[in-house]
Amino acid sequence: MGVAAGDAQPQFHVLAVDDSVIDRKLIEKLLKTSSYQVTAVDSVSKALEFLGLLNEEDDERNSEFASVSLIITDYSMPGMTGYDLLRKIKNSTSLKDIPVVMMSSENIPSRINRCLEEGAEEFFLKPVQLSDVSKLKPHLMKEKSKEIPGRCSSSSQQQCFGPASSICI
Amino acid sequence: MDRNHLLRQVAYMKNSLFDQGYLDREQFTQLEELQDDANPNFVEEIVTLYYNDSARLIQNMEQTLVNRPIDFVRLEEILHQFKGSSSSIGAKKVNDACTQLKEYCSAENTEGCSRTLQLVKQEHAVLRTRLETYFQRVREAG
């Protein structure tokens, strides 16, 4: 993780979910080239674990991460699909404001509409290009400008206010 | 050999791959654009990753066609993964062969599937050789 000395701009952390090792490598590089910090996982269950949702207990954040600013996920995956992940995120009180972007190699309008209706910000057709990744920034900046209550890590469970892009644990 | 000569060879080989339809110009160029000081061998790495991963997928597809009854659903699932990776690295002819295979698979045409899977394997192997030579020249050119 190389952050240049004197780099005042905080990096956005993107969680990428794709079962294909090639596509994970590609999306990771696309995101890093665009100055995002990246965590790439190969399944929805690993993504949920990372996000602390595996136990479906929104109040308990068991995860070790600091913050996720955006989730980008493949649609078709064995087991739980990207659509399942999208629904879980949007139905989660603590995570519903994280922008979710879908990727798919298949151009199926009904699928695309369903995802957008469920709250996905964008739907990228694979192979994903740098020009697609450049479309992510507005969704992140929009969230950053909002202030939402988050849960602090202190056991007193005080509500704290902070930028939407960083979620207190 | 003179470096300029090697660089010209590299350019020539790459253009041949594009012109002959082996590689998708746009996608492969995108991969090259992602290569930087932090990842100077990104393209070769991702291609190597592809060949390691896709060998397994091809084997799995062959296995589905050996089993009785043939599980066309499973074949299509594996093919979907394989086609996805192939298009990510811009493997054009491989991708086109996959499209044909997908059609035979949907039609549950055993003979068609066997035939086109052989075609997929063939294109996959030809591209591998071409890319190995290409990357060797790239390395020589520095």
Side-chain angles (χ1 to χ4, degrees):
Chain A
M1 246 186 55
V3 179
D7 184 7
Q9 183 131 15
Q11 280 191 305
F12 289 114
H13 183 192
V14 177
L15 176 64
V17 192
D18 201 317
D19 64 313
S20 158
V21 62
I22 289 95
D23 287 349
R24 268 199 312 283
K25 186 174 174 82
L26 182 55
I27 194 70
E28 195 168 353
K29 192 72 181 79
L30 285 166
L31 290 165
K32 281 186 173 164
T33 296
S34 308
S35 304
Y36 296 107
Q37 189 194 330
V38 188
T39 298
V41 297
D42 65 3
S43 70
V44 171
S45 52
K46 292 228 181 94
L48 292 174
E49 200 180 319
F50 188 79
L51 294 164
L53 279 187
L54 203 57
N55 301 321
E56 295 189 15
E57 286 172 26
D58 267 329
D59 294 344
E60 291 231 12
R61 303 297 295 283
N62 304 314
S63 60
E64 292 156 30
F65 75 100
S67 69
V68 167
S69 311
L70 183 136
I71 298 165
I72 183 162
T73 179
D74 190 23
Y75 184 95
S76 311
M77 283 184 285
M80 283 189 277
T81 66
Y83 181 74
D84 296 326
L85 176 61
L86 171 65
R87 296 197 70 208
K88 280 202 187 280
I89 302 292
K90 293 304 162 188
N91 288 329
S92 155
T93 16
S94 52
L95 301 176
K96 65 179 166 60
D97 287 319
I98 302 181
V100 181
V101 169
M102 311 297 296
M103 303 181 279
S104 178
S105 52
E106 293 170 295
N107 188 353
I108 302 173
S110 57
R111 171 186 290 186
I112 298 172
N113 288 331
R114 194 153 50 105
C115 290
L116 295 174
E117 277 164 22
E118 198 64 40
E121 306 289 341
E122 299 270 357
F123 195 108
F124 296 154
L125 288 175
K126 284 177 153 186
V128 177
Q129 310 283 306
L130 268 173
S131 54
D132 293 315
V133 176
S134 69
K135 294 179 191 165
L136 298 177
K137 203 61 177 294
H139 300 295
L140 289 157
M141 297 315 292
K142 180 180 62 172
E143 289 308 314
K144 199 163 175 59
S145 65
K146 276 165 48 179
E147 295 226 318
I148 57 157
R151 232 166 241 299
C152 287
S153 54
S154 64
S155 53
S156 62
Q157 299 208 326
Q158 250 176 351
Q159 295 251 320
C160 66
F161 284 82
S165 62
S166 65
I167 296 159
C168 305
I169 50 160
Chain B
M1 206 182 272
D2 161 57
R3 186 168 184 248
N4 284 334
H5 183 77
L6 286 166
L7 286 170
R8 278 198 300 276
Q9 278 203 339
V10 166
Y12 177 78
M13 288 168 84
K14 191 165 51 158
N15 277 315
S16 296
L17 285 164
F18 294 151
D19 294 339
Q20 291 165 11
Y22 286 101
L23 285 181
D24 178 85
R25 184 186 289 267
E26 201 188 310
Q27 188 55 24
F28 197 76
T29 305
Q30 169 78 107
L31 295 179
E32 288 186 318
E33 279 170 11
L34 290 172
Q35 204 156 266
D36 54 21
D37 292 337
N39 288 101
N41 303 309
F42 176 73
V43 188
E44 189 172 1
E45 281 170 15
I46 200 169
V47 167
T48 306
L49 200 59
Y50 165 75
Y51 272 100
N52 292 338
D53 191 59
S54 57
R56 176 183 60 90
L57 295 174
I58 288 178
Q59 258 187 351
N60 292 346
M61 285 194 281
E62 283 185 309
Q63 189 58 49
T64 64
L65 290 174
V66 160
N67 296 335
R68 290 292 180 276
I70 297 180
D71 188 347
F72 287 103
V73 170
R74 178 83 191 111
L75 175 57
E76 183 145 7
E77 277 171 6
I78 305 166
L79 176 59
H80 178 82
Q81 284 185 56
F82 178 77
K83 187 170 194 288
S85 322
S86 302
S87 82
S88 290
I89 67 150
K92 200 153 181 247
K93 284 197 183 194
V94 174
N95 209 18
D96 291 342
C98 286
T99 304
Q100 286 183 52
L101 176 52
K102 189 171 183 200
E103 283 171 22
Y104 283 117
C105 189
S106 301
E108 297 197 0
N109 181 331
T110 309
E111 198 269 323
C113 284
S114 295
R115 205 166 15 93
T116 45
L117 181 55
Q118 287 316 302
L119 178 63
V120 166
K121 281 177 72 175
Q122 204 179 311
E123 294 297 351
H124 184 255
V126 168
L127 179 62
R128 179 181 210 150
T129 309
R130 293 288 294 264
L131 286 174
E132 274 170 1
T133 317
Y134 171 73
F135 286 122
Q136 194 181 329
R137 196 64 82 249
V138 167
R139 268 180 264 125
E140 283 166 13

